[in-house]
Amino acid sequence: MLKQTDLNQIEKKGISLKALENQLEHFRQGFPFVRLIRPAIPGDGIIIFCDEKKDEFIHFFEDRSPSHHIIKFVPASGAASRMFKHLFEFKESLMTDKRKPFDSFSDTGFNSVHNFFQSIERFACYQDLKESMEIEGKKIEKALVEKNFSLILEHLLDESGLNYANLPKALLAFHNYENGPRTALEEHLVEAAHYAKGKEGVSRIHFTISPEHIIKFEEKISAIRNKYETLFNTRLDITHSTQKLSTDTIAVDEENQPFRNQDGTLLFRPAGHGALLANLNDLDADVIFIKNIDNIVPDSLKPTTIQYKKLIGGYLLYIRGKIFEFLKKAESENISPEEIKNMAEFVITQKLMPLPEGFEKLTFEIKRSTLFSQLNRPIRVCGMVRNAGEPGGGPFWVADQNGQASLQIVESSQVNMQDEKQKCIFNAATHFNPVDLVCSTIDYKGTPFNLKEFVDESTGFISLKSSGGRTLKAQELPGLWNGSMAKWITIFVEVPLITFNPVKTINDLLRNEHQQS
């Protein structure tokens, strides 16, 4: 039973009672597993372009991008604390032995604490760290010789130093250059200047950030904007938003009753990256590139990334042009049976979506209305890289409740791994999704779609968490590029693995791909 104070709390967050009841029902009933048909592979769901076609669509994008409102959307919420997990654990161990011998480290692998200190001068933050210590009259070289690792970590992670443990990834120094280090935020601005430049020569980029990081984010933008506008002869339109409180989901106890904090209030939690659909829905653009904040490379490797962004962008514009042309004719009913046939063949050959069984036997009017409803929806072209053992969603043909097949990006948590057949299909995937998308979110009249109408609500996720020592169940909304885009037109294109270089731990910045500035 909800009390008046509960209702006031719910109303303040902007959550409707219907949405709350739906969340509670999902806890009670659970979410169904997806039903995999087969993995999407080259020739069956994944397109591989020959060099000639690559050049064709890259030029297509370059020719047409000045007439479009393009924006780059970068999820960048949350602190970077998970990047330093191994350093936190080591710092904790130093509480009992502040001068733990360097040669006593048992793990000397790539992601080890040993490798971090052994290679510390190669990090882009090294000079800042050195200067932070010098302010207090400390020398990092001396601290390393004396194995005073605790002092170094304090200056790297704590608020009294660089405060890296509490900053977002966007504000961490990622790459070294002759004229100084660049943060992840800066590297995204550089990318945006190369492929997110649209109308009026403006390069637009939108970050989603956490409320506690807004001031530092805006300070950084003010300090660097002119530098990059001058460097790349463009005007940067940099905007940001925070995850909406109305997208939070209620937590429940093990009996599926609303979980209450010590003060009796209801506990709500952020609902994963699917909550960012609301932010995406607010963007004023007709072409939107989506890329995570930590998947960025230095200038020496950017040409390949930029080339493939233009490739998938050009293919999106090409496909969308064909679809819009058809929809305009179909709406006016000034369309011939031959044009209906040609569009059906285009849908099949381009793998846009399977048509209903027996489509060719349907009447002209039903064919027209079927194609219209199937094609009048948002479009996404997703880059897919060869599976190299990285975690992440994969491309699959999935059956909906009516048995209709569609291309989807599926995470392992959505699959019943106790079903050997489903497990085998999931493990047979040859590619995975590096969160490399370009989207069209307007209809053929130029009107923005309401993206919330194209979500598969049954693809959420429930996990066990804890608060105050008590177990709770948390609920995530359908993932932004998973269930939140389930009813979009989906196209998968193979892109090279070099375009995927995420930074999950600080040691990842020691990889060759992040050292080639």
Side-chain angles (χ1 to χ4, degrees), residues 236-252:
L236 289 167
D237 182 358
I238 308 165
T239 56
H240 61 81
S241 62
T242 59
Q243 189 166 309
K244 299 177 187 293
L245 292 177
S246 59
T247 64
D248 288 354
T249 54
I250 194 168
V252 298

Side-chain angles (χ1 to χ4, degrees), residues 317-382:
L317 292 178
Y318 167 75
I319 291 294
R320 187 176 74 177
K322 294 288 187 182
I323 290 174
F324 282 7
E325 182 182 348
F326 169 81
L327 291 174
K328 288 173 183 176
K329 282 188 175 182
E331 182 192 40
S332 66
E333 300 186 10
N334 183 26
I335 192 166
S336 67
E338 187 65 22
E339 288 173 311
I340 292 287
K341 179 183 177 183
N342 291 340
M343 194 62 203
E345 289 177 353
F346 181 78
V347 167
I348 293 170
T349 56
Q350 298 297 324
K351 303 284 187 184
L352 299 186
M353 63 189 66
L355 294 175
E357 189 174 346
F359 178 83
E360 65 282 354
K361 297 179 181 179
L362 298 175
T363 65
F364 169 81
E365 181 55 36
I366 294 178
K367 286 180 181 178
R368 184 188 70 82
S369 61
T370 298
L371 280 172
F372 189 91
S373 63
Q374 288 284 76
L375 294 173
N376 190 29
R377 57 186 69 208
I379 310 168
R380 59 173 173 163
V381 178
C382 313

Side-chain angles (χ1 to χ4, degrees), residues 163-174:
N163 199 29
Y164 266 30
N166 299 304
L167 293 179
K169 283 185 181 180
L171 299 182
L172 304 189
F174 264 43

Side-chain angles (χ1 to χ4, degrees), residues 47-60 304 307-308 311 494 496:
I47 301 170
I48 300 180
F49 289 114
C50 64
D51 290 342
E52 183 180 351
K53 282 294 182 183
K54 284 179 191 174
D55 291 340
E56 178 183 333
F57 290 119
I58 289 171
H59 292 146
F60 193 89
T304 301
Q307 179 187 41
Y308 278 88
L311 168 65
E494 184 179 270

Side-chain angles (χ1 to χ4, degrees), residues 380-417:
R380 59 173 173 163
V381 178
C382 313
M384 291 288 160
V385 298
R386 291 277 176 175
N387 200 328
E390 296 282 353
F396 294 90
W397 288 100
V398 174
D400 65 16
Q401 294 176 339
N402 300 317
Q404 184 74 24
S406 64
L407 287 170
Q408 302 291 339
I409 296 171
V410 179
E411 306 285 343
S412 60
S413 59
Q414 297 176 264
V415 180
N416 182 6
M417 292 301 187

Side-chain angles (χ1 to χ4, degrees), residues 86-100 105 113 150 153:
H86 61 316
L87 298 184
F88 278 123
E89 292 172 349
F90 178 70
K91 187 168 179 270
E92 190 72 21
S93 74
L94 293 176
M95 298 296 289
T96 54
D97 183 2
K98 290 192 175 182
R99 297 173 183 260
K100 190 170 184 176
F105 297 163
V113 174
S150 180
L153 292 180

Side-chain angles (χ1 to χ4, degrees), residues 22-23 25-27 29-35 398-402 404 406 408-411 413-416 452-462 475-479 482-487:
N22 286 340
Q23 292 171 19
E25 185 63 20
H26 284 143
F27 279 119
Q29 299 297 327
F31 290 100
F33 291 113
V34 300
R35 185 154 63 91
V398 174
D400 65 16
Q401 294 176 339
N402 300 317
Q404 184 74 24
S406 64
Q408 302 291 339
I409 296 171
V410 179
E411 306 285 343
S413 59
Q414 297 176 264
V415 180
N416 182 6
K452 298 174 184 178
E453 295 176 358
F454 300 89
V455 177
D456 182 352
E457 300 288 355
S458 70
T459 56
F461 179 75
I462 294 171
Q475 186 173 148
E476 290 195 8
L477 295 171
N482 308 116
S484 282
M485 297 181 177
K487 297 176 184 178

